[in-house]
Amino acid sequence: MGMTAILGGCGSTGSSGVTLRLVAADYGDSAANSSKKYWDRLAQEYESAHPGVKVQVSVYSWNDVDRKVKQMADAGDPPDMAQIGAYADYAAKGLLYKADDVLSIPVQADFLGQLSEAGQLRHVQYGIPFAASTRVLFYNKTLFAKANLTPPTTWAELAADAAALKARGVKYPYALPLGPEEAQAETMQWLLGGGSGYTDDIGTYTIDSPQNVETFTWLRDELVGKGLTGPVAPGRLNRADAFDAFANGEVGMLNGHPTLMQQADKKGVKFGMVPMPGRNGTPKSTMGVADWMMAFKKSGHREQIGDFLDFVYSEKNVLAFSREYDLLPVTGSASEAMDAAEQDKALRPFLSELPLAQLYPVGKTSWAQVSADVKKQIGRAVAPDGSPAAVLGQLQATATAADSAENAK
């Protein structure tokens, strides 16, 4: 795309004495690799080429960042830019610039298509993708070798492998984290594998579709009911605990994202990664997750915001952030560079999933409520006496009501 050449000429924004405020999420797990370091370095580099503009960055943990931005927006003093987990509420309230109000055409054209689409509210893009991730099936190579197993390609093979691992005393043959931390992710991966999802092709919630009920009935009967998911009930097992157990060598298989690679490597666990199986083979789409950048209109700094964001989304900077935190680039140019680079080969299994990835329905303001409801309720669907049809039906009723309220505004 020649992004560097394009951005090289954007040094003049016709501004002087402007301070841009950015609130961002922290992707690090310690002070040593805090995202504050990344943003401070980027801001310094930008300011040195743009003497009239200061970039003031505040970085908060994921536990706090969404709440901080909401407090600022509710007080009528939002930042110029926020890099957080969701954008739809702010877009629906008319607080955000449209993506094409701030980004140059080459930068906008470089985003991966399905990510740009996921950033749309009522067919207009407000959410600017910032970082992406996909999920693959991690398996413990040592445990698999001892049981003479090969990685599964269908649900039936996954259940058979899990049964063989259980017979050899593996604590969690398949770890199924449907606890309140991130149940919406594990749920979506299984729904996609069963041929459905949270919504249909036009964005209508289909949580209690026949395929989804079949999927959770299979999970209840073939995995949980046969004791193949470990000693902790799935509804009480959080993703972080499942990842810790995998890194401790106690898990045969689980659905994981790139950060699990580092965690397992540190503990010396030998692992393999394959596409998450579907009911009858590789599903037509896997789950993708994106975090978002958005630009608030309140300050009126449209031109300066746009110029800074064009810089943020240069290939060099997108690659640097993705590599720092084992994330996937959101632009085509950086994705191609990562795919070709030997240093990034560990991320290729995730990168190859991204073009077909399906994201949460983040363009719906109702999604936050639906996601919270899934986290609270979905574990009951696979309990020994659980009714997938009843639980999914209840989630569907809540989603439909939230959706109707959103559309009535």
Side-chain angles (χ1 to χ4, degrees):
M1 294 282 300
M3 205 65 67
T4 309
I6 293 161
L7 297 176
C10 64
S12 172
T13 58
S15 62
S16 60
V18 169
T19 297
L20 297 178
R21 292 184 300 150
L22 167 66
V23 174
D26 195 350
Y27 289 79
D29 55 14
S30 66
N33 70 342
S34 168
S35 298
K36 183 89 167 72
K37 289 188 172 181
Y38 173 84
W39 284 113
D40 285 349
R41 188 168 63 245
L42 215 64
Q44 190 175 4
E45 190 180 334
Y46 183 79
E47 288 170 359
S48 66
H50 302 76
V53 181
K54 293 284 179 205
V55 182
Q56 186 183 91
V57 186
S58 303
V59 173
Y60 298 98
S61 78
W62 276 108
N63 294 329
D64 301 321
V65 69
D66 289 285
R67 180 170 46 81
K68 289 281 187 184
V69 173
K70 185 177 187 303
Q71 286 171 348
M72 294 169 78
D74 288 350
D77 186 31
D80 294 279
M81 294 160 285
Q83 187 275 297
I84 52 177
Y87 65 86
D89 275 350
Y90 301 115
K93 291 173 183 170
L95 300 179
L96 302 181
Y97 285 116
K98 294 182 289 186
D100 60 11
D101 284 339
V102 289
L103 297 173
S104 68
I105 291 170
V107 169
Q108 230 186 324
D110 198 26
F111 289 114
L112 298 174
Q114 83 276 30
L115 298 181
S116 292
E117 198 173 307
Q120 295 178 2
L121 176 74
R122 299 186 184 99
H123 309 294
V124 177
Q125 186 182 352
Y126 297 93
I128 304 167
F130 182 74
S133 178
T134 56
R135 302 290 197 269
V136 298
L137 183 73
F138 282 71
Y139 65 96
N140 183 311
K141 281 187 170 181
T142 305
L143 297 177
F144 265 60
K146 285 178 180 174
N148 294 314
L149 298 174
T150 55
T153 60
T154 65
W155 287 358
E157 290 176 8
L158 186 147
D161 285 354
L165 292 166
K166 182 188 180 187
R168 298 187 68 88
V170 175
K171 189 172 180 182
Y172 293 90
Y174 179 87
L176 183 68
L178 294 176
E181 180 198 353
E182 208 187 34
Q184 83 286 359
E186 184 75 15
T187 296
M188 182 167 172
Q189 186 67 64
W190 283 98
L191 298 184
L192 292 171
S196 188
Y198 285 122
T199 61
D200 61 18
D201 291 343
I202 58 169
T204 304
Y205 284 113
T206 54
I207 297 171
D208 65 347
S209 70
Q211 298 101 308
N212 289 344
V213 173
E214 281 178 30
T215 292
F216 268 81
T217 301
W218 186 90
L219 283 172
R220 181 196 65 190
D221 296 345
E222 301 301 322
L223 285 189
V224 183
K226 292 182 177 176
L228 303 179
T229 54
V232 180
R236 294 203 302 274
L237 181 65
N238 279 327
R239 180 198 55 79
D241 297 328
F243 278 21
D244 286 345
F246 186 83
N248 289 332
E250 299 172 334
V251 174
M253 300 172 276
L254 87 172
N255 182 11
H257 54 64
T259 56
L260 183 55
M261 295 190 299
Q262 281 187 11
Q263 202 173 336
D265 277 337
K266 280 179 188 170
K267 293 286 191 81
V269 169
K270 291 183 170 61
F271 61 89
M273 299 180 294
V274 293
M276 183 70 183
R279 186 186 299 279
N280 301 308
T282 305
K284 64 177 182 179
S285 59
T286 186
M287 190 190 76
V289 176
D291 298 322
W292 303 94
M293 177 73 77
M294 62 213 70
F296 285 88
K297 294 193 285 191
K298 185 70 187 285
S299 70
H301 296 145
R302 182 182 68 82
E303 190 180 348
Q304 294 83 6
I305 291 169
D307 194 67
F308 177 66
L309 289 179
D310 278 359
F311 172 73
V312 168
Y313 284 101
S314 68
E315 181 184 316
K316 175 182 75 119
N317 290 330
V318 172
L319 270 176
F321 189 86
S322 302
R323 284 170 172 159
E324 178 71 27
Y325 298 107
D326 279 337
L327 292 162
L328 303 181
V330 295
T331 62
S333 57
S335 292
E336 287 170 18
M338 180 174 274
D339 195 37
E342 186 63 19
Q343 74 182 90
D344 300 312
K345 68 179 181 181
L347 284 168
R348 283 179 196 156
F350 301 94
L351 205 55
S352 65
E353 299 275 290
L354 193 55
L356 297 174
Q358 188 169 321
L359 280 73
Y360 300 131
V362 287
K364 295 164 127 358
T365 57
S366 55
W367 170 242
Q369 182 182 337
V370 173
S371 175
D373 213 26
V374 169
K375 290 177 187 179
K376 284 182 202 155
Q377 307 292 346
I378 199 65
R380 293 191 296 111
V382 297
D385 57 349
S387 167
V391 173
L392 294 175
Q394 184 182 350
L395 290 168
Q396 176 68 30
T398 304
T400 301
D403 216 22
S404 298
E406 174 184 342
N407 293 329
K409 287 177 183 174

